[in-house]
Amino acid sequence: MRIALFITCFNDMMFPRTGRAVTELLERLGHTVEFPQGQTCCGQMHFNTGYRPETLPMVRRFSKVFAGYDAVVTPSGSCAGMVRDQHRVVAAQLGDAALTEAVERVVPTVYELSELLVDVLGVTDVGAHFPHRVTYHPTCHSLRMLRVGDRPLTLLRAVKGIDLVELPAAESCCGFGGTFALKNADVSNAMLADKMRHVLDTGAEYLCAGDNSCLTHIGGGLSRLRTGVGTMHLAEILASTEGSVR
Amino acid sequence: MSGADNVVWLGTPPFPEAARAALADTRLRANLRRATGTIRDRRLAVTAELDDWEDLRETAAALKRRTLRHLDRHLLRLEETVTAAGGTVHWAADAAEANAIVTRLVRATGENEIVKVKSMATQEIGLNEALAEAGIRAYETDLAELIVQLGGDRPSHILVPAIHRGRSEIREIFRRQMGKWGRPAAEGLTDDPRDLAEAARLHLREKFLRAKVAVSGANFAAADTGTVVVVESEGNGRMCLTLPETLITVMGIEKVLPSFADLDVFLRLLPRSSTGERMNPYTSLWTGVMEGDGPQDFHLVLLDNGRTATLADEVGRQALSCIRCSACLNVCPVYERTGGHAYGSVYPGPIGAVLTPQLVGVENAASLPFASTLCGACYDACPVKIDIPEVLVHLRSKAVEAKRRDRILPTPEALAMKAAGAVLSSPRRLAALQRLAALGARLVARDGRIGVLPGPFARWSGTRDTPAPARESLRAWWRRTREEGRTTRNGKSR
C-alpha cells in the first residue's frame, strides 16, 4: 500500500524519531511510505485558539499535498481529529466549493497510526519486542474525537516482552490542551500533578501514548521531578524489535 | 444590581486568575474531588443499567433541536394553555423587566416576604437583590441554596450550589446566621448531616407555614397542556409550590417542550444524569389553578435575557438544549480543580463556559470559552448531546474576532498567531525555522531539555522541562536519507 506520512509540524521539529519509527514499522510490514515535502501543519493550534481565518491556507495545503494516496497516516490523535472533524468546518465556513470537495476526498483516507494498523492493514501483532514495564495514557482526542478505543492497547498487548500495566484514571485529561497550558497554566499544572501521581503509582518505566504533545506535557513534568520515568510514542514501541534498542 | 451583572458577577477576575486563587484552597479541592467523584460514579452506574440510554439521548437531543427551531410557536401555545387553565403569562425581555414584573406581583399581594424554590433563572436575573431593594425579603428553601444564602455566598454548582462547603463550614454558617433570618439553630449543633438537616427543617418549616407568596423556577413546561414541572430531591420545593396562595414561576423561554408526552424522555434522563438516581424523590407538576387546591393565583414569567440572541447563532444555540443536570460539571477536569466560583457566573462549568458568553455577549466573558482543554468528557456525558467542545471553539473564534474589531493594535497573541500562520503555511519557511530552532536549542539545552523559557512560556517552564528541538527535523532526515540524488545535486555534503 502506498501510504503518505503526515508527520505534523510539532513532531517534525521536536520528535522526528517518531516519524522514523512510523516509517520503519510500515516498511517492515511491507508498505511503501512517502513523505510529501510540501506538508506543514493541520492548523489545530490556530483553529482551537480562535484564529479561524488563519487556518484556511493550512487546510488548503493539506488537501492538496495529501491528495491521491491510498492512505495518509499520522502519529497524532489530535491532528488526525483536527483534519477529520474540523477541516470540513473551515472549508464550509471560509473556503469554496472546490475546497470542500478536496477536503471530502482526502479526509476519508486519513488515519491515526493505530487505526491504520488495525482497521486498514488488519494487523494487531506487528512483531515488536520491548522488554519494559509500560503504562498507556489514552489521549483525549484519540479517545473521544477519533474513538480509537482499545486499538492501541491491542497492539501493545501483542508486543513481546512488554509488561503492560493499567494507568489509574487513565481517561482523565492530562491538562495540556494546546494553548490551554499557557493560558490557564495553574489549572493545567494541577491536572498534570494528578496525572503524574497516577503514572508513578504504576511503577512503569515508560509512559506511552499516541500523541507527543500530551507526552511532552506529562514527560516535561516527570523530567522536572527527576522521576526517571520516560515517555515513548506508541509508534516507537511498535517499531522496536529484538535487534533494535530504543 | 442589574440582570446582566448577575449572569456575570461583577468584580470576578478573568478565569485564569480566579482559578489560581481557587487552586490554592486545599479544602475546596478535597470537597470537590470527593463530591464530583461520587456523583460521577453513581451516574455511570445508573446510565449503564439502561439498554436504550444512547437512544434516549438521541431522542432528547432531536426533540430539543426541533423545539428550538419553532420556539416562538411553542411559547405562544404555552401562553394560550396556561391562560386557559387560569394562570397569567408575562413576557420579560431582560432581567430588569422580569424583576419589575415579579416585584409588582408580590407588592400587589401586600406581602413583604416570599419563599423560593431553587431557581437558576432568578439567580441569573438577581431577583433576590431586586426584591430586597423593594423591601421584600426572599427566603431560599432548597437546602444548598439556604446554605449559600445564609453564608452570604454565591452558588458554585448547578445541582449542588454549596458543593464547595464542607459540613463543618455548614455548621458554622447555621450557628452564626440562622438566628438573623428566623429560627436559630439549636444549641450544641453538630456537623452530623442528620443534625444539620434537622436544623434546616425546623428553620424552614416556620417559613413554609407563614408564606403567602412563593417564587419558583421550572425544569420544563408542556405547551399543549400548560403544565409546569419542578424536579427536586428534598420536598422543600413542593412545600413552596403547594402551601402559598400566590405562585410566581420564572422560566427561561428555552424550557418549553411541545407536549406533555415529551416529559417522558426528559424525566428519565434528568435524574440519572444529575444525581445518579433512577428517579428523583419529588416531581411536582401543576397546570394553572384549581379552586381550593394549591395556590389560587399563578403567574408564569417567560424570560428571554439573551436567549433569542443565542438562538440566532446556528452553532451556539445548542447550549439552549441544556436541562441543567450538571453532568458536564461533574466530569470536567477543569471544574474539578477550580470549582464553580472561578467561572464568575451563575452558570459554571463547561455548560457555563458556553452559555454565559452567549447570554451576556462574548466580549463580556471572553476568558470562559478558553477555560477548557477540549478533552470532550462533557460532550460524552451530556444527556442531550450538546457538543460543548464545538461551541467552545466557535465562541473562541468569536472572542478573537471581537478583540480584532475593538482594538486598534493587535494583541501580542494575535501577532504571534499571524507569524506562526505565515510559517506553518509554507514548507520552505517551516524548514528554515526548524533549522534555526535546532541551532538555538543547541545553545541553550542541556541533555536535550530546556529549563526556563521566556514570556508566555514562563509559567509552563516553571513546572515542566521542555524538550529541545531535534538536531535534524524529519523533513531534513528524509531528504538526506531518502532523496539522496537531490541533496547531492544541491551540492550539500552528507
Side-chain angles (χ1 to χ4, degrees):
Chain A
M1 194 178 256
R2 188 168 157 256
I3 302 164
L5 170 61
F6 171 46
I7 186 57
T8 79
C9 60
F10 182 67
N11 284 328
D12 189 5
M13 182 148 110
M14 308 298 289
F15 297 96
R17 59 168 203 254
T18 301
R20 294 204 292 270
V22 175
T23 310
E24 269 173 47
L25 172 65
L26 292 176
E27 286 179 348
R28 194 171 80 213
L29 296 170
H31 301 281
T32 309
V33 182
E34 294 187 23
F35 184 85
Q37 288 277 343
Q39 64 178 282
T40 55
C41 167
C42 67
Q44 184 182 187
M45 177 179 77
H46 285 86
F47 187 86
N48 281 354
T49 315
Y51 293 80
R52 211 167 270 199
E54 282 83 346
T55 59
L56 184 62
M58 291 178 244
V59 173
R60 245 183 232 294
R61 173 166 286 280
F62 186 95
S63 64
K64 205 169 101 196
V65 168
F66 288 102
Y69 290 96
D70 298 332
V72 180
V73 68
T74 182
S76 162
S78 79
C79 299
M82 170 69 195
V83 171
R84 203 175 296 174
D85 281 14
Q86 318 290 24
H87 277 201
R88 290 196 169 95
V89 176
V90 176
Q93 199 186 348
L94 303 163
D96 44 54
L99 179 62
T100 298
E101 219 174 280
V103 166
E104 291 299 338
R105 260 200 311 272
V106 78
V107 161
T109 66
V110 178
Y111 299 93
E112 180 270 342
L113 179 63
S114 72
E115 293 175 328
L116 180 84
L117 291 169
V118 176
D119 300 351
V120 184
L121 306 181
V123 282
T124 49
D125 185 345
V126 297
H129 176 82
F130 193 75
H132 299 282
R133 179 169 239 206
V134 174
T135 191
Y136 174 76
H137 168 59
T139 62
C140 297
H141 284 178
S142 297
L143 195 67
R144 302 194 189 89
M145 246 178 138
L146 298 178
R147 310 271 174 204
V148 302
D150 60 359
R151 288 178 186 83
L153 285 169
T154 307
L155 290 160
L156 285 172
R157 280 188 206 113
V159 172
K160 283 177 196 63
I162 200 167
D163 175 15
L164 192 63
V165 285
E166 199 182 325
L167 179 66
E171 298 192 354
S172 67
C173 179
C174 70
F176 174 58
T179 47
F180 177 84
L182 303 179
K183 282 177 184 281
N184 285 283
D186 299 274
V187 187
S188 172
N189 278 328
M191 292 164 71
L192 171 63
D194 290 339
K195 183 58 78 181
M196 288 197 294
R197 187 164 44 80
H198 293 311
V199 172
L200 293 174
D201 282 349
T202 64
E205 297 161 73
Y206 289 101
L207 171 70
C208 169
D211 228 310
N212 276 325
S213 44
C214 309
L215 286 178
T216 299
H217 172 75
I218 310 169
L222 291 169
S223 160
R224 177 62 57 91
L225 296 179
R226 306 285 180 254
T227 59
V229 181
T231 53
M232 201 168 274
H233 192 283
L234 175 69
E236 291 166 54
I237 293 182
L238 297 182
S240 301
T241 56
E242 203 134 5
S244 74
V245 180
R246 278 187 202 275
Chain B
M1 196 185 293
S2 83
D5 298 343
N6 225 61
V7 180
V8 177
W9 300 329
L10 279 178
T12 307
F15 185 81
E17 225 174 291
R20 196 175 310 151
L23 287 164
D25 184 342
T26 47
R27 184 155 67 169
L28 172 71
R29 288 274 294 280
N31 287 351
L32 281 170
R33 182 177 305 182
R34 201 173 39 244
T36 57
T38 308
I39 308 177
R40 196 157 56 206
D41 293 344
R42 274 217 309 253
R43 182 184 64 84
L44 283 175
V46 297
T47 55
E49 286 174 356
L50 296 185
D51 299 334
D52 62 345
W53 182 251
E54 288 307 315
D55 293 339
L56 264 181
R57 283 178 77 204
E58 192 44 63
T59 306
L63 229 158
K64 277 289 189 181
R65 272 199 303 274
R66 261 202 333 269
T67 309
L68 289 172
R69 264 205 296 278
H70 304 288
L71 192 63
D72 51 345
R73 223 177 56 204
H74 300 305
L75 287 168
L76 289 172
R77 178 96 176 104
L78 179 67
E79 180 178 35
E80 259 174 48
T81 51
V82 168
T83 310
T88 312
V89 173
H90 310 261
W91 300 80
D94 56 22
E97 209 175 325
N99 287 333
I101 291 166
V102 177
T103 307
R104 180 167 52 74
L105 291 172
V106 178
R107 276 207 174 126
T109 64
E111 295 293 314
N112 60 10
E113 54 179 38
I114 63 159
V115 286
K116 282 183 70 196
V117 34
K118 186 168 105 175
S119 150
M120 303 210 67
T122 62
Q123 280 280 0
E124 175 189 324
I125 61 177
L127 178 66
N128 289 7
E129 292 85 348
L131 288 174
E133 272 176 38
I136 300 161
R137 207 164 193 198
Y139 297 109
E140 296 292 349
T141 67
D142 172 86
L143 180 55
E145 283 289 341
L146 176 71
I147 295 164
V148 168
Q149 184 175 45
L150 293 177
D153 201 359
R154 302 264 197 192
S156 72
H157 189 278
I158 286 177
L159 180 77
V160 201
I163 197 168
H164 56 288
R165 297 288 198 188
R167 50 189 209 195
S168 60
E169 288 176 276
I170 295 170
R171 181 182 86 121
E172 281 317 301
I173 292 169
F174 279 9
R175 272 164 47 124
R176 271 201 322 271
Q177 300 296 329
M178 267 185 172
K180 297 179 193 164
W181 289 79
R183 181 175 172 145
E187 284 295 315
L189 180 70
T190 72
D191 66 358
D192 179 60
R194 187 186 289 265
D195 212 13
L196 293 173
E198 183 61 13
R201 224 165 74 89
L202 294 172
H203 179 82
L204 288 172
R205 174 137 308 187
E206 187 185 81
K207 308 263 188 291
F208 292 137
L209 294 175
R210 203 172 59 210
K212 298 275 188 287
V213 184
V215 170
S216 90
N219 288 95
F220 310 99
D224 63 343
T225 58
T227 305
V228 186
V229 184
V230 162
V231 174
E232 41 128 12
S233 296
E234 298 160 359
N236 291 334
R238 177 162 296 176
M239 294 281 208
C240 294
L241 297 166
T242 50
L243 289 174
E245 291 160 13
T246 301
L247 173 60
I248 305 164
T249 298
V250 182
M251 177 187 114
I253 53 173
E254 79 281 16
K255 301 268 173 162
V256 68
L257 292 172
S259 86
F260 191 85
D262 300 328
L263 288 172
D264 164 37
V265 175
F266 293 99
L267 290 179
R268 279 195 279 164
L269 279 175
L270 182 54
R272 285 183 198 257
S273 301
S274 61
T275 49
E277 293 168 299
R278 297 185 183 93
M279 183 149 203
N280 52 289
Y282 293 89
T283 302
S284 303
L285 302 91
W286 68 100
T287 309
V289 293
M290 194 171 289
E291 207 183 315
D293 185 15
Q296 295 301 294
D297 193 14
F298 169 59
H299 297 269
L300 181 61
V301 182
L302 295 173
L303 176 72
D304 187 320
N305 208 33
R307 286 162 175 78
T308 302
T310 305
L311 198 59
D313 185 318
E314 282 179 33
V315 177
R317 71 166 62 133
Q318 53 185 311
L320 294 178
S321 297
C322 175
I323 57 173
R324 309 283 188 265
C325 71
S326 76
C328 63
L329 278 67
N330 299 327
V331 298
C332 177
V334 175
Y335 178 89
E336 189 187 326
R337 269 71 179 198
T338 64
H341 289 159
Y343 293 79
S345 164
V346 62
Y347 301 109
I351 187 64
V354 295
L355 192 58
T356 303
Q358 298 199 86
L359 292 182
V360 300
V362 73
E363 62 281 4
N364 296 315
S367 68
L368 290 185
F370 297 91
S372 164
T373 63
L374 305 178
C375 82
C378 48
Y379 182 26
D380 278 6
C382 179
V384 291
K385 292 189 143 184
I386 301 170
D387 190 341
I388 295 177
E390 180 191 20
V391 184
L392 285 169
V393 288
H394 171 72
L395 294 175
R396 287 177 183 191
S397 78
K398 290 194 132 191
V400 168
E401 292 304 323
K403 265 207 183 112
R404 274 200 241 253
R405 236 184 4 251
D406 298 345
R407 289 174 59 111
I408 301 164
L409 290 172
T411 59
E413 181 188 276
L415 288 173
M417 284 290 173
K418 196 172 174 207
V423 170
L424 292 174
S425 47
S426 151
R428 199 173 40 79
R429 284 192 287 260
L430 181 55
L433 175 82
Q434 285 166 349
R435 282 193 297 274
L436 196 67
L439 189 68
R442 261 186 257 177
L443 299 175
V444 297
R446 276 181 194 195
D447 302 331
R449 299 246 155 214
I450 303 174
V452 180
L453 293 168
F457 300 97
R459 297 186 78 86
W460 163 281
S461 60
T463 54
R464 277 154 291 203
D465 288 339
T466 310
R471 288 185 167 217
E472 184 180 44
S473 68
L474 186 80
R475 184 184 308 272
W477 172 78
W478 198 283
R479 281 201 179 200
R480 182 168 63 77
T481 60
R482 305 283 173 127
E483 297 171 23
E484 277 177 69
R486 192 165 171 177
T487 46
T488 319
R489 217 175 31 247
N490 289 348
K492 285 180 192 161
S493 68
R494 291 178 58 193

